[in-house]
Amino acid sequence: MTDLLSQRIQALLDSDAASTLVGIRRGIEKESLRISTDGNLAQTGHPEALGSALTHPYITTDYSEALLEFITPASSDLHSPLEFLDQLHRYTYRHIGDELLWVNSMPCRVKEDSEVPVARYGSSNVGRMKHIYRIGLGHRYGRKMQTIAGIHYNFSFPESFWQLHQAQEGSEEPLQDFISRRYFDLTRNFQRYSWLLVYLFGASPALCASFLAGREHHLLERFDHSLYRPHATSLRMSDLGYQNNAQSSLAISYNNLDEYVETLTHAIKTPEPAYDAIGVLDAKGDYQQLNANILQIENEYYSSIRPKRTINKGERPTLALKRRGVEYIEIRALDLNPFEPVGINQQEIRFLDLFATYCLLRTSPQLESCDLNASKDNLRQVVYNGRDTSVALNNWGESVTLKQWALEKLDQMVPIAELFDRCHGGNNYCDALKRQRLKVEEPDATPSGQIMDKLESRDQTFFQFAMNQALAHRDHFRSRPLDADREAQLATLARHSLTEQAAWEAADDMDFESYLDTYFKD
């Protein structure tokens, strides 16, 4: 263990840190495609009973009308996010007829881009902007790529922890500046070690061949129209998915808040010839994208982690960060776990707590271009070959096997797990850590390994496996209807969101072009 890491852990063990860590807040954003009973992407609009996708705080859509997104409120209670997700799924299944929720990150059978209906958010300026942004994504990257689903884990330390940690670090800078700086330290280490999360929780070793129809790839075909790699972990995180080559030239800096804002702002203000060729308006005057810049808006940058600040209505994310600093991090490297009804379980949540804390406490040098390239190469190796744990990774210029490096990282987290167990009582964090160690020792115990075992032992396609899981999860939720009070609360919330959307539409006092000009002003 590094000297700085051990010193910081010991300082927390010697202090009252356990009581401050109880206040860690967690929230989950979980995406799921709606599909028809024959396994094709649903062509129906966002169900009215689920409310307005624009204004509902907990049920919305991502890229497509068919791509639901469930959002839990941030909570310091460990069990609340999963319990809330469970309730949202049970409510949703009462209001989508005979449709199903696809349980895998890689999409169901989608033959053509035109089969993917782009999400609509009404006629308000903000609603139109969200829709046109998605139209632009379709032109730039293809609509099918936007049907990939995942889990986003939002995580923040409480102010009481930051005050204690700042005193231990001997920092005299303003508290928010210290918090922002340390979150960027965490973020840089996440970039270095996110391959470990992809190995442990990757759950997309195979996909439907329809997803890559017409595209070059180096996957193998087996199981009748299923594509795979023998030791793959997360094809979602490969260059076939969200880590796509279209943004490979972007050099977004995570060295500090100012550089992060500056490089992202540069990307949303710099024209890109390939996108200029698409045009902003077509011959009819309809928008094809928000602008022809490298990024239309900040969210277009597909990063596995984002420093975040809650934004005000109409506020750009970079301006919110610049004005008020980092509030929390959003971890975006997680596949849906098809063996879990809500796509994630409590052990995974506990390990994410440990992983984020480890990334905060260990030394975090600045990320140079060579470091970023090494991190990308490591991730690529784990994505395609990770379940061969003898695969070589780059540890600061030294070649090391995945197994050796992963076990080293997990060993270094043991005292952090003990600290969290002191905080919460019991041994759940240490047990979660032991479970991850088992996955390193036995690659078949990973979600990707379990999926491949199902395909091989039953000689079934990826599609058949995913449909079976979707049907099982549907039955799980439908067999446990919500109590009448909770059903009524969610129904009321849906109606209120529709009313709120109508109010936004009625309140607009400028034309859309002026709204965009105002939005993109510094």
Side-chain angles (χ1 to χ4, degrees):
M1 189 182 304
T2 64
D3 288 342
L4 182 59
L5 176 62
S6 60
Q7 290 169 10
R8 283 173 167 166
I9 292 174
Q10 191 60 51
L12 292 173
L13 288 168
D14 292 342
S15 68
D16 192 29
S19 63
T20 68
L21 292 173
V22 172
I24 285 175
R25 292 171 65 80
R26 309 160 186 83
I28 296 173
E29 302 168 25
K30 187 254 188 179
E31 300 160 345
S32 288
L33 286 168
R34 285 187 295 111
I35 63 171
S36 61
T37 53
D38 59 4
N40 292 310
L41 189 67
Q43 299 299 304
T44 53
H46 186 64
E48 184 173 343
L50 302 186
S52 164
L54 178 67
T55 57
H56 198 296
Y58 308 128
I59 304 176
T60 182
T61 54
D62 196 278
Y63 177 80
S64 172
E65 281 287 278
L67 184 54
L68 289 174
E69 183 173 356
F70 302 105
I71 302 169
T72 75
S75 173
S76 59
D77 183 280
L78 261 169
H79 299 280
S80 288
L82 292 187
E83 291 172 355
F84 198 87
L85 271 183
D86 177 73
Q87 292 177 1
L88 293 179
H89 281 71
R90 288 153 67 189
Y91 178 81
T92 296
Y93 260 113
R94 278 185 53 83
H95 299 285
I96 59 173
D98 59 359
E99 292 177 346
L100 303 167
L101 299 182
W102 190 248
V103 300
N104 284 75
S105 282
M106 300 309 289
C108 55
R109 293 187 295 211
V110 184
K111 296 178 182 177
E112 305 290 341
D113 264 18
S114 59
E115 293 182 12
V116 182
V118 179
R120 295 186 175 276
Y121 300 93
S123 61
S124 68
N125 284 329
V126 64
R128 287 188 65 194
M129 181 176 175
K130 287 171 72 73
H131 176 70
I132 293 167
Y133 165 62
R134 285 158 174 77
I135 292 288
L137 293 178
H139 288 305
R140 293 175 176 213
Y141 312 107
R143 292 188 182 186
K144 283 198 289 187
M145 196 192 87
Q146 308 301 320
T147 60
I148 298 172
I151 295 269
H152 299 168
Y153 187 69
N154 299 318
F155 176 95
S156 65
F157 293 99
E159 185 171 314
S160 57
F161 168 83
W162 287 121
Q163 291 169 338
L164 177 65
H165 184 49
Q166 182 181 30
Q168 292 172 341
E169 294 289 291
S171 167
E172 296 182 356
E173 62 196 304
L175 180 61
Q176 182 56 61
D177 291 349
F178 175 79
I179 292 172
S180 294
R181 176 169 64 82
R182 295 294 286 129
Y183 270 130
F184 271 92
D185 291 343
L186 185 166
T187 300
R188 289 196 301 279
N189 276 331
F190 185 95
Q191 301 276 11
R192 292 183 174 100
Y193 306 121
S194 61
W195 59 264
L196 180 57
L197 290 185
V198 171
Y199 172 80
L200 295 173
F201 303 118
S204 51
L207 50 83
C208 285
S210 64
F211 179 73
L212 295 179
R215 290 176 60 184
E216 291 185 4
H217 63 82
H218 43 270
L219 301 182
L220 304 177
E221 184 168 3
R222 189 178 173 187
F223 314 116
D224 186 23
H225 302 299
S226 298
L227 302 176
Y228 79 110
R229 283 285 289 265
H231 297 105
T233 57
S234 175
L235 296 177
R236 167 183 170 267
M237 291 295 292
S238 73
D239 51 7
L240 302 174
Y242 274 129
Q243 303 298 312
N244 65 87
N245 291 324
Q247 297 187 6
S248 60
S249 63
L250 279 175
I252 304 301
S253 173
Y254 286 89
N255 286 333
N256 56 62
L257 176 57
D258 289 341
E259 288 185 18
Y260 180 74
V261 169
E262 179 183 351
T263 51
L264 261 185
T265 301
H266 173 78
I268 63 175
K269 290 183 176 294
T270 302
E272 165 56 49
Y275 301 151
D276 189 50
I278 295 171
V280 175
L281 300 173
D282 66 11
K284 298 179 182 178
D286 294 328
Y287 276 89
Q288 302 302 294
Q289 53 188 338
L290 292 174
N291 53 60
N293 297 332
I294 298 172
L295 300 176
Q296 298 173 89
I297 58 176
E298 296 92 329
N299 287 351
E300 188 173 338
Y301 179 54
Y302 297 123
S303 173
S304 59
I305 186 170
R306 288 177 181 167
K308 300 289 289 282
R309 162 63 66 173
T310 302
I311 62 173
N312 299 321
K313 184 180 177 182
E315 184 179 36
R316 292 208 333 256
T318 47
L319 291 183
L321 282 171
K322 186 175 181 180
R323 291 163 178 165
R324 299 185 295 282
V326 183
E327 180 184 4
Y328 64 98
I329 55 162
E330 179 188 41
I331 294 173
R332 302 163 51 83
L334 304 172
D335 286 355
L336 299 179
N337 185 338
F339 300 105
E340 298 294 334
V342 297
I344 187 172
N345 61 35
Q346 202 69 57
Q347 276 197 338
E348 188 169 349
I349 286 174
R350 288 192 171 94
F351 184 77
L352 291 171
D353 290 352
L354 298 179
F355 186 80
T357 305
Y358 173 78
C359 288
L360 175 76
L361 297 181
R362 70 158 293 129
T363 184
S364 182
Q366 302 284 282
L367 275 175
E368 307 297 339
S369 58
C370 58
D371 301 316
L372 285 171
N373 290 335
S375 295
K376 289 177 182 178
D377 288 342
N378 286 339
L379 183 62
R380 180 179 175 82
Q381 286 286 0
V382 175
V383 158
Y384 285 115
N385 306 303
R387 278 183 295 107
D388 174 4
T389 57
S390 66
V391 67
L393 303 181
N394 183 347
N395 179 11
W396 299 91
E398 178 184 348
S399 180
V400 61
T401 67
L402 182 153
K403 183 175 182 178
Q404 178 185 347
W405 204 9
L407 292 176
E408 175 190 299
K409 297 291 109 183
L410 297 179
D411 285 345
Q412 291 173 351
M413 294 181 202
V414 170
I416 301 175
E418 293 171 348
L419 175 62
F420 272 84
D421 279 336
R422 180 188 298 185
C423 156
H424 291 280
N427 299 299
N428 289 322
Y429 278 90
C430 285
D431 289 345
L433 195 57
K434 290 177 183 176
R435 180 65 179 270
Q436 308 320 311
R437 189 180 183 90
L438 174 65
K439 292 179 185 177
V440 177
E441 300 282 4
E442 300 178 16
D444 288 346
T446 61
S448 58
Q450 293 178 60
I451 291 170
M452 291 306 297
D453 177 67
K454 295 288 187 185
L455 300 187
E456 292 168 349
S457 64
R458 299 178 182 179
D459 195 27
Q460 64 180 179
T461 67
F462 167 77
F463 175 79
Q464 290 169 331
F465 162 76
M467 277 298 293
N468 289 342
Q469 293 301 113
L471 290 166
H473 292 341
R474 177 203 63 184
D475 294 344
H476 169 80
F477 290 119
R478 285 187 172 174
S479 68
R480 301 162 50 249
L482 290 172
D483 63 67
D485 287 344
R486 188 61 176 144
E487 174 76 23
Q489 290 170 1
L490 290 173
T492 299
L493 192 60
R495 290 193 298 272
H496 285 174
S497 71
L498 292 168
T499 301
E500 186 176 6
Q501 175 181 322
W504 284 21
E505 293 168 350
D508 277 344
D509 57 0
M510 66 174 70
D511 60 73
F512 184 65
E513 290 72 18
S514 299
Y515 175 81
L516 282 187
D517 288 342
T518 301
Y519 181 85
F520 284 110
K521 283 182 180 177
D522 288 337

